């Protein structure tokens, strides 16, 4: 080649023009409320945000298996045992769909799991609370799966196609979970005095943490520093603010609690005719931040359990890889 | 005879009578129930998420078999006991499962060895029980046959992967086979209840299931480049008479505790 003294030319994808074109194309899709698909070019920030959010969501499904898995061997009837095993299994399935959705963004599951195990990526703090009685299994289904649905239904319209599609499958199962949880508490609240007390105690312990599941408030002192709500809404990743979703959840749940005959542990809970919503008391955001940062009753335990399973299974995964490689080599020879 | 049991036996004309029939069906149910209980412990502890799902599936299948069979045993008994009465309110000496299924969870290789043996046995068993004169047992067997074929396959594939994987996995898979070896002979013991059930056409003689079971396990072990364990120095006995190992009491304590703490409550 002649005159080849100005170094390697830039790859077309590294030019500023290209970045502008990507942004324009992407903005067009988002503006038209179209789905972004893995093959589409997308801004880096969008990709990174999605990877983080989908990974944390996947981790939550996997860690979330533990508090309920804790009751499989003790479920008080065989029917409940079967329903619970199926539920914990569903959560494993949710984790798998979500890791697959994350993989379409160019990361792999092993890498994400390492980040979970090293504490670099988080999971929902709700799972750092213990399941102490059978009624807690009901409360998790009713409140935790209920809050998850509130969060996830809008994600079915998320701008990123694979995430949206995963959410559609997940939401269907989550609504079963919520109904099953409600049914557990319904039975307990119509049962013996001990069973009723068990149900009330579970509602007392799970109510506030489930309100925290929607994340910090969007405004005020407790708002997350450098929150991403606005950007995520512009990107079509988020459709409602944390406070909007929390209010919807309260409005949905209070009448259900009344049906169950359970008293929610909030003296400030009352219907506001003017707003057309339930007013509720102040959430203890100090507790939220404390648990998020690691000082919750089960943070250490959940991660240690997860790491132990992973470490104890390393030889199995290695063997499966070695066997697959040997099989492939044998086929080549043959 | 109460009127109630008369009605029931009219509904199922092929119901074989007698305490032996009840005990035989309980033995089938207890094997499935107790193994499901052990497999339930694996959820959240498996080597990879796919395996949490798979072990959960096997456990759920077995739990489903157990529930149908316990219900059948309760109906045959005619004393008004349902699946939960039988699962939660019997004491250890009334459980008729073999020792293999009650043993504490070992590592994943050991679990695959146990599952391979148990599913191979159940596959032989249900293949024959499809023809049971007890129509309910025959129906459970027909449905379960497809399930246990999958269990047998799943365990077999893992035994091969681990046997023919790395040096470490080869050694650990061999150790898994050795660990369960003392518990497999009991699957083929012809206890009096099974003999009577076989004569009545309800059941099948356990010893007749041994050749098919062993042949399948041997084929998998060979493919896995492993070897069949030498005959063990001791072997388990007596599960079908309700004589269990020490692990069983703890298993039942966990299984039954909540249910028993609230007598008469519904869940
Ligand atoms: Fe889920
Ligand atoms: Fe769920």
């Amino acid at each position: 080649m002649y005159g080849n003294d100005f170094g390697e030319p830039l790859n077309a994808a590294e030019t500023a023009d290209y970045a502008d074109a990507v942004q324009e194309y992407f903005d067009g899709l988002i503006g038209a409320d179209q789905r972004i698909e893995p093959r589409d070019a997308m801004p880096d920030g969008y990709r990174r945000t999605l990877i983080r959010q989908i990974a944390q969501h996947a981790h939550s499904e996997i860690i979330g298996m533990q508090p309920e898995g804790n009751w499989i061997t003790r479920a008080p009837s065989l029917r409940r045992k079967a329903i619970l095993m199926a539920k914990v299994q569903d959560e494993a399935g949710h984790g798998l769909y979500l890791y697959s959705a994350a993989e379409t963004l160019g990361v792999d599951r092993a890498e994400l799991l390492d980040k979970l195990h090293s504490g670099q990526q988080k999971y929902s703090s709700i799972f750092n609370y213990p399941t102490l009685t059978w009624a807690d299994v009901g409360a998790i289904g009713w409140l935790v799966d209920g809050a998850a649905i509130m969060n996830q239904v809008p994600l079915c319209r998320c701008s990123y196609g694979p995430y949206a599609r995963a959410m559609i499958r997940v939401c269907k199962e989550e609504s079963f979970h919520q109904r099953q949880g409600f049914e557990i508490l319904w039975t307990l609240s119509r049962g013996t005095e001990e069973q009723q007390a068990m149900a009330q105690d579970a509602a007392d312990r799970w109510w506030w943490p489930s309100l925290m599941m929607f994340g910090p408030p969007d405004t005020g002192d407790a708002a997350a520093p450098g929150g991403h709500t606005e950007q995520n809404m512009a990107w079509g990743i988020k459709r409602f603010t944390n406070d909007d979703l929390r209010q919807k959840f309260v409005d949905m749940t209070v009448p259900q609690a009344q049906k169950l005959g359970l008293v929610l542990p909030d003296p400030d809970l009352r219907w506001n005719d003017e707003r057309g919503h339930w007013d509720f008391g102040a959430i203890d955001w100090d507790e939220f931040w404390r648990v998020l940062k690691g000082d919750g009753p089960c943070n250490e335990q959940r991660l240690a359990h997860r790491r132990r399973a992973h470490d104890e299974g390393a030889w199995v995964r290695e063997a499966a890889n070695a066997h697959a490689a040997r099989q492939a080599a044998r086929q080549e020879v043959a | 005879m109460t009127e109630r049991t008369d009605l029931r036996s009219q509904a199922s004309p092929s119901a074989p009578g007698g305490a032996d029939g009840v005990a035989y069906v309980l033995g089938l149910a207890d094997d499935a129930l107790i193994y499901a209980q052990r497999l339930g412990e694996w959820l959240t502890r498996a080597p990879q998420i796919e395996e949490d799902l798979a072990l959960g599936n096997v456990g759920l299948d077995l739990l489903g078999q157990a529930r149908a069979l316990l219900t059948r045993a309760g109906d045959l008994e005619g004393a008004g006991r349902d699946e939960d009465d039988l699962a939660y309110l019997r004491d250890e000496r009334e459980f008729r499962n073999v020792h293999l299924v009650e043993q504490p969870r070992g590592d994943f290789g050991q679990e695959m060895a146990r599952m391979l043996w148990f599913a191979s046995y159940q596959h032989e068993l249900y293949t024959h029980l499809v023809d049971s004169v007890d129509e309910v047992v025959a129906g459970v067997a027909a449905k379960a046959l497809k399930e246990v074929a999958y269990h047998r396959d799943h365990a077999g594939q893992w035994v091969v992967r681990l046997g023919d994987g790395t040096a470490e996995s080869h050694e650990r898979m061999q150790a898994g086979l050795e660990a369960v070896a003392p518990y497999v002979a009991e699957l083929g013991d012809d206890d009096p209840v099974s003999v009577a059930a076989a004569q009545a056409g309800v059941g099948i003689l356990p010893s007749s299931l041994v050749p098919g079971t062993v042949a399948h396990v041997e084929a998998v072990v060979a493919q896995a480049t492993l070897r069949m364990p030498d005959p063990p120095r001791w072997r388990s006995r007596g599960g079908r008479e309700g004589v269990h190992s020490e692990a069983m009491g703890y298993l039942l304590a966990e299984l039954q505790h909540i249910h028993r703490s609230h007598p008469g409550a519904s869940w």
Side-chain angles (χ1 to χ4, degrees):
Chain A
M1 286 283 147
Y2 304 103
N4 186 9
D5 56 352
F6 34 73
E8 292 292 313
L10 285 175
N11 181 305
E14 293 169 34
T15 63
D17 281 356
Y18 181 78
D20 286 350
V22 164
Q23 190 69 47
E24 203 175 305
Y25 175 73
F26 176 82
D27 290 345
L29 285 179
I30 296 283
D33 214 9
Q34 298 278 308
R35 293 271 161 82
I36 309 295
E37 294 298 333
R39 63 180 177 278
D40 292 326
M42 60 188 92
D44 252 6
Y46 178 80
R47 182 187 300 273
R48 262 183 283 121
T49 298
L50 275 169
I51 290 174
R52 191 181 55 231
Q53 179 169 336
I54 299 173
Q56 290 189 5
H57 193 161
H59 300 332
S60 301
E61 302 286 353
I62 298 306
I63 297 285
M65 294 164 68
Q66 289 181 39
E68 292 184 284
N70 182 37
W71 281 89
I72 288 174
T73 56
R74 294 176 292 167
S77 75
L78 296 185
R79 176 172 162 265
R80 292 291 180 204
K81 191 192 283 287
I83 292 172
L84 182 59
M85 277 179 86
K87 188 193 169 190
V88 175
Q89 231 192 352
D90 284 348
E91 306 302 1
H94 298 172
L96 285 180
Y97 307 155
L98 285 160
Y99 286 122
S100 301
E103 285 183 332
T104 64
L105 291 160
V107 285
D108 67 53
R109 195 211 304 182
E111 187 184 332
L112 298 176
L113 281 174
D114 285 345
K115 286 188 172 155
L116 167 66
H117 298 150
S118 66
Q120 272 173 279
Q121 285 181 340
K122 302 259 178 253
Y123 54 88
S124 177
S125 266
I126 191 77
F127 300 121
N128 290 320
Y129 291 87
T131 48
L132 303 176
T133 73
W134 170 250
D136 289 17
V137 173
I140 288 192
W142 175 45
L143 296 174
V144 176
D145 286 87
I149 292 168
M150 276 294 159
N151 268 326
Q152 290 170 13
V153 165
L155 288 172
C156 297
R157 296 191 296 122
C158 165
S159 60
Y160 188 59
Y163 192 24
R165 286 188 289 275
M167 281 302 97
I168 291 168
R169 291 177 75 176
V170 167
C171 279
K172 239 182 247 168
E173 292 178 356
E174 300 297 10
S175 70
F176 274 121
H177 299 169
Q178 205 229 358
R179 234 174 298 157
Q180 287 156 357
F182 184 85
E183 203 212 321
I184 288 176
L185 293 176
W186 177 265
T187 308
L188 293 177
S189 62
R190 267 146 200 77
T192 64
E193 247 172 69
E194 289 87 350
Q195 285 177 307
Q196 289 173 30
M198 199 190 279
Q200 181 60 54
D201 171 57
D204 289 345
R205 281 180 290 109
W206 288 93
W207 173 249
W208 289 111
S210 31
L211 294 192
M212 295 177 197
M213 280 178 71
F214 298 93
D218 301 292
T219 53
D221 292 344
H228 303 289
T229 296
E230 220 171 292
Q231 175 64 79
N232 288 350
M233 288 179 94
W235 274 337
I237 297 176
K238 207 171 160 67
R239 301 273 174 186
F240 299 96
T241 65
N242 293 351
D243 289 326
D244 280 348
L245 289 169
R246 189 166 12 248
Q247 182 69 59
K248 273 177 193 257
F249 176 71
V250 172
D251 291 348
M252 176 188 82
T253 312
V254 173
Q256 294 176 352
Q258 290 170 334
K259 261 184 227 146
L260 290 171
L262 296 174
V263 181
L264 294 172
D266 179 358
D268 296 326
L269 198 62
R270 63 179 59 85
W271 177 252
N272 183 325
D273 232 353
E274 233 165 86
R275 291 205 306 127
H277 291 293
W278 286 88
D279 287 340
F280 55 96
I283 293 172
D284 182 354
W285 292 111
D286 290 343
E287 173 178 329
F288 171 80
W289 291 112
R290 182 161 51 73
V291 176
L292 190 78
K293 286 176 182 148
D295 183 8
C298 299
N299 298 57
E300 289 295 324
Q301 179 190 327
R302 299 285 185 245
L303 261 191
H305 182 113
R306 180 57 227 156
R307 278 194 214 110
R308 195 182 321 120
H310 190 74
D311 294 348
E312 286 178 357
W315 69 277
V316 174
R317 296 189 303 275
E318 279 159 25
N321 290 338
H323 180 72
R326 194 167 307 135
Q327 287 290 89
R330 275 180 201 140
Q331 264 174 3
E332 242 166 68
V333 171
Chain B
M1 273 263 174
T2 64
E3 203 182 353
R4 190 157 159 241
T5 49
D6 283 347
L7 284 175
R8 283 190 192 209
S9 50
Q10 265 173 13
S12 324
S14 63
D20 281 346
V22 177
Y24 181 74
V25 177
L26 273 178
L28 302 176
D30 289 344
D31 280 352
L33 175 67
I34 302 304
Y35 197 25
Q37 178 76 1
R38 283 296 183 214
L39 288 173
E41 296 173 13
W42 273 100
L43 269 157
T44 76
R45 295 186 174 89
Q48 55 192 28
I49 302 165
E50 286 83 350
E51 212 49 36
D52 282 307
L53 274 163
L55 295 175
N57 262 330
V58 177
L60 270 172
D61 286 344
L62 291 172
L63 185 54
Q65 294 167 22
R67 293 179 63 190
L69 291 165
L70 286 172
T71 301
R72 180 56 174 163
D75 286 349
L76 288 173
E77 184 188 49
R81 292 204 282 181
D82 66 12
E83 57 175 23
D84 286 337
D85 295 329
L86 290 168
Y88 291 93
L89 300 176
R90 275 181 301 153
D91 287 327
E92 180 174 331
R93 291 285 275 105
E94 299 166 84
F95 275 81
R96 305 197 68 255
N97 56 282
V98 291
H99 289 214
L100 176 68
V101 294
E102 75 200 33
Q103 294 315 301
R105 200 165 57 87
D107 73 3
F108 185 74
Q110 190 176 324
E111 197 59 81
M112 290 305 103
R114 165 156 68 176
M115 188 183 288
L116 177 64
W117 273 108
F118 186 63
S120 300
Y121 156 79
Q122 271 196 321
H123 193 270
E124 293 299 306
L125 173 72
Y126 288 141
T127 299
H128 288 89
L129 291 185
V130 166
D131 300 321
S132 170
V133 299
D134 185 311
E135 282 169 12
V136 177
V137 170
V140 171
K143 178 168 181 287
L145 193 53
K146 290 180 208 111
E147 296 168 351
V148 301
Y150 161 77
H151 307 168
R152 190 175 77 158
D153 223 52
H154 186 75
Q157 286 180 21
W158 271 114
V159 171
V160 171
R161 276 187 209 114
L162 296 175
D164 186 32
T166 62
E168 181 189 4
S169 73
H170 180 87
E171 202 174 298
R172 289 178 75 157
M173 191 58 241
Q174 185 66 48
L177 288 170
E178 310 286 340
V180 305
Y183 299 99
V184 297
E186 192 186 351
L187 291 166
D189 283 346
D190 290 331
D191 62 296
V193 164
S194 298
V195 172
Q199 272 162 4
V202 179
I204 174 83
L205 216 51
S207 57
S208 73
L209 306 173
V210 171
T213 306
V214 171
H216 187 83
V217 173
E218 274 178 349
V220 171
V221 166
Q223 199 196 334
T225 71
L226 297 163
R227 52 177 202 81
M228 291 296 275
D230 296 331
R233 264 186 302 134
W234 74 279
R235 45 152 297 188
S236 65
R237 289 184 175 83
R240 301 273 182 237
E241 279 82 49
V243 179
H244 293 280
S245 55
E246 289 181 349
M248 184 67 171
Y250 294 93
L251 182 148
L252 287 179
E254 202 170 331
L255 175 77
Q256 297 180 334
H257 155 67
I258 301 295
H259 186 98
R260 287 194 179 209
S261 300
H262 301 267
S266 32
W267 298 95

